Amino acid sequence: MSTRAPGRPPRVVVIGAGIVGCSLADELTARGWTDVTVLDQGPLPAPGGSTSHAPGLVFRTSPSRTLTAFAQYTVEKFTALTWDGVPCFQQVGGLELATTPERLADLHRRAGYATSWGVHGEIVGAARCRELWPLLDESVVLGGFHTPGDGLARALHACRAQLDRAVARGARVLDRHTVTGIERADGGVTGVVTDRGTFPADHVVSAAGFWGPVVGRMAGVDVPLQPLAHQYARTGPLPGLSGATADASKPILRFQDRDLYFREHGDRLGIGSYAHRPLPVDPFAVPGYDEARARDMDMPSSYPFTPEDWAPSWEDCRRLMPALRGAGIESGFNGVFSFTPDGMPVLGESRALRGFWLAEAVWVTHSAGAARAVAEWMVEGRPSLDVHECDVTRFEEAQRSPAYIRERGAQQFVEVYDVVHPLQPVERPRPLRVSPFHARQQQLGAYFLEGGGWERPHWYEANAPLAADLRLPGRDAWSARHWSPIAAAEARATRERVALYDMTPLRRLEVTGPGALDFLDRMTSNNLRKKPGAVTYTLLLDETGGIRSDLTVARLSPGHFQVGANSPADLDHLLRHAPDGVHVRDTTSGTCCVGVWGPLARDLVQPLTPDDFSHETFGYFRARQTYVGHVPVTALRLSYVGELGWELYTTADLGLRLWDTLWEAGQRLGVIAAGRSAFNSLRLEKGYRAWGTDMTDEDNPYEAGVGFAVRRDKADFLGRAALERAGAPDRRLTPLLLDDPAAVVLGKEPVYVDGAPAGYVTSAAYGYTLGRCVAYAWLPAALASGTGVHVEYFGEKVPATVAEEPLFDPGMTRIRR
């Protein structure tokens, strides 16, 4: 339990006086938490972490809306800050170059992200690139993406400015304090031990950067972070920059085709390279500040420059900027900073130790925004922005091994500037997690992609003959990646016959105990007080009415529930709130699931089971524990593809027998195995939402179109009060049909109404039954069905029309029969 006395403000110790720790101290004290102590082992103002050597480039645009919002706030905040009369941000703009057609296309896609997320930018030609950067060889440049609002953060100045504000509110900052331990009692933090004393704490935040795993180990908390070294060099004086009176005046520059970036340092250039081999650093072997100085290192984060790694990049620099051909490198170092397995920050409170927070793997670009989110989380209970992509709980247990973190962290370094397709799977380590059906899927020629460590079939080459007579519109090269026309054949077979879908990777939780019903009913929005055998679609809301997750809850017996959930965060949330006597556990890895869907699903399953699977006896949204052949199963009559069928669950050891039983019996019916590509098409035709993509905790149920899962006439539930205060939505998740049968979009594209950006696409897929691409988008609620809009796809405005949902089978006759 907390040792905080009533009325006393929380005591917070922030470990790390880099840009994140300083930003967090400012954000916490601004919200009234003024008993904040910031500790660092090195001397201020440059204690020796990544911030001390950061070149400060801030490019806001990212495929992640969350990271873009973090960067936007960082620019906004630092622009308003000065320290010692010097601005903390120089808004010189940003310029990303394309020297290949593929990169130019990618810049058009990035320009779409920028529009979707509210960043001003434009695609410009080679001549304009040369105007912005006269040192460029215009002949090698095809174009660029110019963002006037980007620029350079003076990270150390921003640190000092924010610390000054925090100290003025009551915080204290102590350098030369090396953390040696985290004190704990009754499952929570109680203090931080240093070489110069112990500091009591109700909350401890690790903002230690690449030392995060070291601090985490002291607390008994794994921090999934791999430090790597990255080359940065400065040229000697350049004639083309002679007479420069400002530190920088030209846009910060990216040459991503060669993994390079550039910024001015007066009459010199600073050049960073990701082109070299990964240079992993053991965080437990990084020297302290004084030890690093004794080794002739400027600071712990600055490792010696390796010229052999630099040589190829220097040649690329000279080809891009002929003025460099007579220049040399004046200085350089290999700077250490942090990478996670998915390239995103690690934020949030550890469930392993109450009051121990992480604010790690955050670059200067996102520093103020990430700090604001953590401060809101600590003070107000939740961030104002969706941060599920950054949540410390997001990694599966199989993704937390040191070997996985090391391997994936290194690959993230390699891919920093790569053109990455939204479906592109990790290359290794694979396979990591496989369902019991994996061998059969391989025999059928499954094309596997990866998610959460799971191998997930997206289509099966065995179904290629079924696609031979299909007449599908051609696809552009981008949308054709990780796609096959076989998916259309699998969708059609599901609509016309019956198909088996591997649903094993979907998360399953078991909630048991005499108080399980009261607990789940209080935590979720729909009415769960139904007899055993009932299945309920419901929402996990937060205190603001935002959608934390959507769940499918099956009541198997009075005190036994099976919960279909989304992410590890759902398990974490339920465990944090579960009262004594209620047990919550994740059963995903020990179980498996086959979705049997299609108009012939009953013809397939009924002969294999002793129970009556008729509609009258086994209705929609019902559950039953029975047998399929020799296999005990929990059968849930659900369908996320809009067809008759069941989800059949069993233990992992019996999974292969279940698959084989269904497969052999289904041959007379023309059964096929179908993949997630067809699944996604079918679920969008029915308008079924995907949490984390279509809706998050930034959205309430009425905006997201799932208000039917809220029962205000039941007893109190989490989020109810906020929903009752909410007014009519001014934005809605809106279905669109692209007008051109050949047009395809993939998601995150901006949507224009009357020529102006008005929202963005969440999910999209070609609807093979409808013969049109279906896209869901966040748009103004006032848009009426039939309204024409445009979706921007690689710079082209594609016409689309607002549609009524559900787009397919509005009477639900195919599911309820």
Side-chain angles (χ1 to χ4, degrees):
M1 297 178 64
S2 173
T3 59
R4 180 162 68 94
R8 177 175 59 74
R11 297 168 298 185
V12 181
V13 175
V14 178
I15 302 173
I19 191 65
V20 179
C22 296
S23 297
L24 182 58
D26 184 43
E27 295 289 337
L28 285 171
T29 55
R31 287 166 174 78
W33 281 24
T34 55
D35 190 350
V36 175
T37 301
V38 182
L39 303 174
D40 206 297
Q41 63 157 346
L44 294 177
S50 300
T51 301
S52 301
H53 71 244
L57 285 75
V58 178
F59 287 93
R60 290 166 297 165
T61 304
S62 165
S64 165
R65 178 172 171 266
T66 299
L67 288 189
T68 301
F70 283 175
Q72 288 171 304
Y73 182 70
T74 299
V75 168
E76 175 189 329
K77 184 177 186 182
F78 289 2
T79 299
L81 288 177
T82 61
W83 187 78
D84 198 22
V86 178
C88 293
F89 189 78
Q90 295 174 269
Q91 205 160 55
V92 294
L95 179 62
E96 302 179 46
L97 299 176
T99 59
T100 65
E102 182 185 29
R103 181 67 63 180
L104 186 59
D106 185 60
L107 293 186
H108 278 282
R109 186 166 58 99
R110 289 180 63 78
Y113 292 149
T115 303
S116 290
W117 314 146
V119 175
H120 172 62
E122 61 175 341
I123 299 296
V124 297
R128 177 60 175 154
C129 292
R130 175 67 185 274
E131 287 179 16
L132 293 167
W133 258 89
L135 297 184
L136 295 176
D137 180 352
E138 184 179 336
S139 69
V140 303
V141 176
L142 299 181
F145 176 42
H146 181 218
T147 45
D150 291 342
L152 289 164
R154 291 189 173 97
L156 292 178
H157 284 66
C159 283
R160 297 301 296 270
Q162 292 179 100
L163 283 183
D164 285 352
R165 298 202 310 188
V167 169
R169 301 183 189 114
R172 58 177 170 170
V173 185
L174 302 174
D175 61 1
R176 293 296 190 172
H177 281 65
T178 300
V179 174
T180 59
I182 307 294
E183 292 189 331
R184 303 171 252 175
D186 300 324
V189 296
T190 59
V192 175
V193 183
T194 77
D195 59 350
R196 298 175 66 179
T198 298
F199 297 84
D202 304 301
H203 297 271
V204 174
V205 185
S206 178
F210 55 76
W211 281 294
V214 179
V215 175
R217 181 175 292 182
M218 296 177 193
V221 173
D222 291 332
V223 179
L225 176 161
Q226 175 60 54
L228 287 108
H230 153 67
Q231 291 202 301
Y232 192 78
R234 289 197 191 201
T235 69
L238 297 174
L241 300 178
S242 62
T245 57
D247 184 39
S249 60
K250 299 175 182 59
I252 52 177
L253 185 68
R254 275 175 169 168
F255 181 23
Q256 291 152 302
D257 288 325
R258 289 295 181 268
D259 297 305
L260 293 164
Y261 64 82
F262 304 81
R263 60 152 293 180
E264 297 165 281
H265 292 284
D267 63 354
R268 293 161 168 80
L269 280 188
I271 308 170
S273 172
Y274 295 99
H276 54 83
R277 62 194 167 96
L279 299 168
V281 173
D282 180 357
F284 295 91
V286 176
Y289 189 90
D290 293 328
E291 183 185 352
R293 301 286 286 181
R295 295 187 193 178
D296 291 328
M297 299 165 59
D298 285 340
M299 58 187 71
S301 61
S302 299
Y303 275 54
F305 195 63
T306 48
E308 66 276 13
D309 292 310
W310 176 255
S313 291
W314 186 229
E315 290 306 311
D316 290 331
C317 293
R318 291 175 173 185
R319 279 192 289 271
L320 180 69
M321 299 184 188
L324 296 178
R325 291 170 187 168
I329 296 300
E330 191 172 73
S331 63
F333 64 95
N334 291 359
V336 182
F337 64 139
S338 306
F339 287 81
T340 59
D342 60 4
M344 299 293 288
V346 178
L347 309 177
E349 184 184 20
S350 169
R351 189 168 42 83
L353 183 61
R354 189 179 61 256
F356 185 78
W357 295 78
L358 296 175
E360 299 290 13
V362 179
W363 297 2
V364 171
T365 299
H366 311 113
S367 55
R372 179 178 65 169
V374 173
E376 291 173 335
W377 213 335
M378 295 174 71
V379 177
E380 300 159 23
R382 70 181 294 274
S384 58
L385 178 74
D386 166 51
V387 296
H388 80 273
E389 295 175 304
C390 310
D391 196 318
V392 63
T393 64
R394 71 187 182 273
F395 294 110
E396 304 283 349
E397 192 64 31
Q399 298 173 304
R400 302 186 74 96
S401 71
Y404 185 93
I405 293 166
R406 192 164 49 245
E407 192 166 5
R408 290 301 310 146
Q411 188 61 28
Q412 287 296 324
F413 178 92
V414 171
E415 295 176 355
V416 161
Y417 282 167
D418 284 2
V419 177
V420 178
H421 192 276
L423 292 177
Q424 182 172 313
V426 301
E427 295 180 0
R428 56 184 186 274
R430 290 183 64 192
L432 184 61
R433 307 175 79 186
V434 298
S435 79
F437 324 131
H438 187 68
R440 298 294 184 264
Q441 293 166 344
Q442 288 179 307
Q443 292 166 5
L444 293 170
Y447 182 87
F448 291 102
L449 298 180
E450 186 265 1
W454 288 100
E455 295 296 313
R456 308 176 85 159
H458 272 242
W459 66 82
Y460 295 85
E461 290 296 330
N463 295 325
L466 301 178
D469 64 339
L470 294 178
R471 296 293 177 264
L472 297 174
R475 286 203 173 204
D476 64 280
W478 186 251
S479 65
R481 288 191 194 181
H482 306 297
W483 173 84
S484 169
I486 295 172
E490 293 176 359
R492 184 172 72 174
T494 306
R495 291 277 189 239
E496 295 178 354
R497 300 193 304 277
V498 62
L500 306 184
Y501 287 82
D502 181 1
M503 306 302 289
T504 300
L506 299 186
R507 186 166 306 280
R508 291 171 292 287
L509 309 178
E510 181 182 75
V511 182
T512 57
L517 173 60
D518 289 341
F519 168 61
L520 286 173
D521 201 47
R522 185 176 69 255
M523 293 296 293
T524 66
S525 63
N526 211 338
N527 177 29
L528 301 186
R529 296 187 181 279
K530 303 171 184 175
K531 294 179 180 179
V535 181
T536 306
Y537 176 80
T538 187
L539 305 173
L540 203 60
L541 305 178
D542 64 19
E543 292 82 353
T544 71
I547 304 170
R548 286 188 60 99
S549 188
D550 61 341
L551 309 177
T552 303
V553 180
R555 191 178 191 188
L556 303 181
S557 70
H560 182 192
F561 294 82
Q562 177 176 302
V563 178
N566 285 294
S567 75
D570 297 343
L571 173 64
D572 180 81
H573 185 64
L574 293 176
L575 284 171
R576 287 178 187 272
H577 288 83
D580 292 342
V582 173
H583 306 284
V584 183
R585 71 184 186 101
D586 192 323
T587 62
T588 310
S589 296
T591 55
C592 60
C593 177
V594 182
V596 185
W597 290 313
L600 301 182
R602 185 175 287 115
D603 300 77
L604 171 53
V605 177
Q606 183 62 84
L608 303 174
T609 178
D611 286 299
D612 184 356
F613 271 50
S614 68
H615 180 64
E616 293 73 21
T617 304
F618 195 162
Y620 190 52
F621 264 78
R622 300 292 297 171
R624 180 174 295 177
Q625 292 178 307
T626 182
Y627 291 86
V628 170
H630 298 91
V631 180
V633 301
T634 298
L636 272 57
R637 189 169 168 198
L638 304 175
S639 174
Y640 288 96
V641 298
E643 297 293 336
L644 171 70
W646 289 265
E647 294 178 357
L648 302 176
Y649 298 88
T650 191
T651 52
D653 59 324
L654 292 168
L656 190 60
R657 184 61 178 262
L658 174 62
W659 180 279
D660 287 346
T661 300
L662 293 166
W663 185 257
E664 291 165 11
Q667 293 308 299
R668 64 185 177 85
L669 302 171
V671 71
I672 66 160
R676 291 194 65 81
S677 186
F679 176 90
N680 201 42
S681 170
L682 296 169
R683 70 104 182 163
L684 279 171
E685 289 184 329
K686 282 298 293 178
Y688 294 144
R689 278 61 166 151
W691 184 86
T693 302
D694 297 316
M695 57 189 185
T696 69
D697 62 5
E698 286 189 48
D699 314 308
N700 77 38
Y702 306 110
E703 295 169 330
V706 288
F708 62 87
V710 177
R711 288 290 298 272
R712 295 194 186 183
D713 59 348
K714 75 168 193 170
D716 194 27
F717 59 89
L718 191 64
R720 175 178 179 168
L723 292 183
E724 290 177 345
R725 292 192 301 268
D730 58 7
R731 56 194 282 273
R732 291 186 189 275
L733 190 61
T734 305
L736 305 176
L737 284 175
L738 272 60
D739 294 351
D740 182 353
V744 174
V745 298
L746 300 181
K748 300 186 179 181
E749 296 88 356
V751 181
Y752 290 76
V753 177
D754 296 329
Y760 60 91
V761 174
T762 57
S763 293
Y766 199 85
Y768 300 111
T769 316
L770 302 174
R772 292 285 191 282
C773 182
V774 180
Y776 272 78
W778 283 106
L779 289 169
L783 288 183
S785 176
T787 302
V789 300
H790 287 85
V791 181
E792 183 178 316
Y793 183 69
F794 287 92
E796 179 185 352
K797 301 294 196 305
V798 179
T801 302
V802 174
E804 291 279 357
E805 62 175 341
L807 305 173
F808 175 79
D809 187 28
M812 301 286 282
T813 58
R814 300 177 71 89
I815 293 176
R816 294 189 172 104
R817 60 181 174 182

